[in-house]
């Protein structure tokens, strides 16, 4: 098994280190998160990109720099141009172990070689985590962008098939509604499985007990209030009797 692992690793190394430019798109761009890469963003209609293309090919043929050389066609993968904030063409990024740095040096073969061999990229600040294409929120953004592109391509496919605009929009709209309902039902089922509701029968069983306890409490409370009232009236009667007796005693003293 160990021999097979080494052979497989060697074949992968030969595949990626062979003298050709690796073409990346929105489905395989995560390859650049491992190892050291130089990635060029270009467009076929761009004159500067066509002028820079031979230099990029020579760079990929140079085995002394020991990096992966790749390119991204922004017309084929517009999502990547958004998450990499491509504002001009061609744009070159240096990627190493998930850190992204935009190359701002001269677009010559010697300058690119020196940039990699002398590790001049260490003097540059990589993109912050909230701008990093490898961050989770950027990956979610990619999914939404891919969904938008898929809907656009689907609409164009309906138009090419002879459907009218309103018919295409109707089909896509109904499909979106039914997909939302289906996902909602799945979420409800999942929540019911992990967080089941309290059985209603227990409420009916426990409710009479609570009512009985409440009635018993009210009865005891009213009984205690009655006893308190009786005691208070008895005390008042005794006090009145004592007051009358004192008056009688005082009158007898005065008469004597």
């Amino acid at each position: 098994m160990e021999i097979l692992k080494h052979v497989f690793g060697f074949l992968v190394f030969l595949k990626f280190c062979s003298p050709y430019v690796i073409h990346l798109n929105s489905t395989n761009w995560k390859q650049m998160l491992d190892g050291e890469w130089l990635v060029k963003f270009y467009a076929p209609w761009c004159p500067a990109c066509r002028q820079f293309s031979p230099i990029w090919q020579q760079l990929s043929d140079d085995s002394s720099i020991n990096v992966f050389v790749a390119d991204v066609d922004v017309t084929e993968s517009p999502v990547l141009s958004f998450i990499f904030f491509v504002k001009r063409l061609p744009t070159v990024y240096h990627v190493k172990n998930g850190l992204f740095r935009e190359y701002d040096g001269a677009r010559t073969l010697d300058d690119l070689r020196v940039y990699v061999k002398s590790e001049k990229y260490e003097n540059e600040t990589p993109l912050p985590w909230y701008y990093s294409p490898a961050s989770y929120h950027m990956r979610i953004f990619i999914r939404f962008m891919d969904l938008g592109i898929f809907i656009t391509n689907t609409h164009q496919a309906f138009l090419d098939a002879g459907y009218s605009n309103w018919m295409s929009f109707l089909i896509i709209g109904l499909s979106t509604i039914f997909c939302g309902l289906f996902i909602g039902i799945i979420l409800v089922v999942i929540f019911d499985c992990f967080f089941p509701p309290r059985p209603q029968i227990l409420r009916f069983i426990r409710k009479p007990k609570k009512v009985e306890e409440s009635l018993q409490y009210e009865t005891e409370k009213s009984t205690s209030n009655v006893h308190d009232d009786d005691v208070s009236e008895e005390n008042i009667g005794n006090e009145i009797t004592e007051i009358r007796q004192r008056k009688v005693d005082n009158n007898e003293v005065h008469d004597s």
Side-chain angles (χ1 to χ4, degrees):
M1 292 297 295
E2 293 294 332
I3 297 176
L4 292 177
K5 290 182 180 179
H6 288 298
V7 171
F8 179 75
F10 180 72
L11 292 176
V12 172
F13 176 80
L14 289 179
K15 177 182 178 181
F16 287 108
C17 292
S18 57
Y20 67 87
V21 178
I22 302 172
H23 185 65
L24 299 177
N25 51 40
S26 58
T27 59
N28 64 351
W29 71 274
K30 292 182 182 179
Q31 294 179 8
M32 70 174 73
L33 299 180
D34 296 326
E36 187 174 2
W37 293 70
L38 282 174
V39 184
K40 177 189 69 172
F41 291 83
Y42 75 100
W45 50 263
C46 174
C49 297
R50 290 196 293 265
Q51 184 179 359
F52 184 57
S53 181
I55 298 175
W56 199 250
Q57 184 63 46
Q58 293 176 18
L59 185 67
S60 66
D61 295 337
D62 189 357
S63 59
S64 63
I65 59 175
N66 196 24
V67 297
F68 299 120
V69 179
D71 60 11
V72 176
D73 185 355
V74 296
T75 61
E76 178 186 344
S77 302
V79 177
L80 296 182
S81 66
F82 278 107
I83 67 172
F84 278 89
F85 302 98
V86 176
K87 300 178 181 178
R88 59 182 179 178
L89 295 175
T91 295
V92 177
Y93 267 92
H94 176 269
V95 185
K96 185 175 183 180
N97 297 328
L99 296 178
F100 301 84
R101 298 176 175 89
E102 185 176 356
Y103 174 74
D104 290 330
R107 307 300 174 88
T108 63
L109 183 60
D110 293 335
D111 288 327
L112 289 169
R113 286 173 177 170
V114 172
Y115 179 79
V116 175
K117 290 182 178 180
S118 302
E119 297 183 353
K120 288 187 176 181
Y121 52 83
E122 295 292 345
N123 299 326
E124 299 178 358
T125 303
L127 292 179
W129 66 269
Y130 46 86
Y131 283 148
S132 175
S135 59
Y136 288 105
H137 58 278
M138 282 295 185
R139 295 184 183 184
I140 295 174
F141 177 76
I142 290 174
R143 297 301 181 187
F144 278 106
M145 290 292 295
D146 288 338
L147 179 61
I149 294 174
F150 172 76
I151 293 175
T152 302
N153 294 335
T154 303
H155 172 66
Q156 187 61 42
F158 281 129
L159 295 180
D160 295 339
Y163 292 91
S164 60
N165 277 325
W166 68 268
M167 183 63 70
S168 175
F169 291 145
L170 180 62
I171 295 174
I172 294 175
L174 291 176
S175 301
T176 304
I177 293 173
F178 283 114
C179 288
L181 291 175
F182 180 72
I183 294 174
I185 292 173
I186 292 177
L187 291 177
V188 170
V189 172
I190 292 174
F191 275 104
D192 285 341
C193 292
F194 288 97
F195 306 100
R198 191 175 183 181
Q200 297 293 330
I201 188 171
L202 294 179
R203 297 183 181 179
F204 292 106
I205 293 175
R206 295 180 181 180
K207 187 174 181 181
K209 185 177 180 180
K210 291 183 178 180
V211 172
E212 183 179 355
E213 291 177 355
S214 178
L215 291 175
Q216 184 178 359
Y217 173 75
E218 293 294 335
T219 304
E220 292 177 355
K221 184 177 179 181
S222 60
T223 304
S224 62
N225 291 334
V226 170
H227 288 306
D228 292 340
D229 293 339
D230 293 341
V231 172
S232 61
E233 290 178 358
E234 183 179 355
N235 291 334
I236 293 173
N238 293 334
E239 290 179 358
I240 293 173
T241 303
E242 290 179 359
I243 292 172
R244 288 177 179 176
Q245 186 65 35
R246 288 175 185 174
K247 287 183 178 181
V248 172
D249 294 339
N250 290 333
N251 291 332
E252 291 178 354
V253 170
H254 287 297
D255 292 339
S256 61

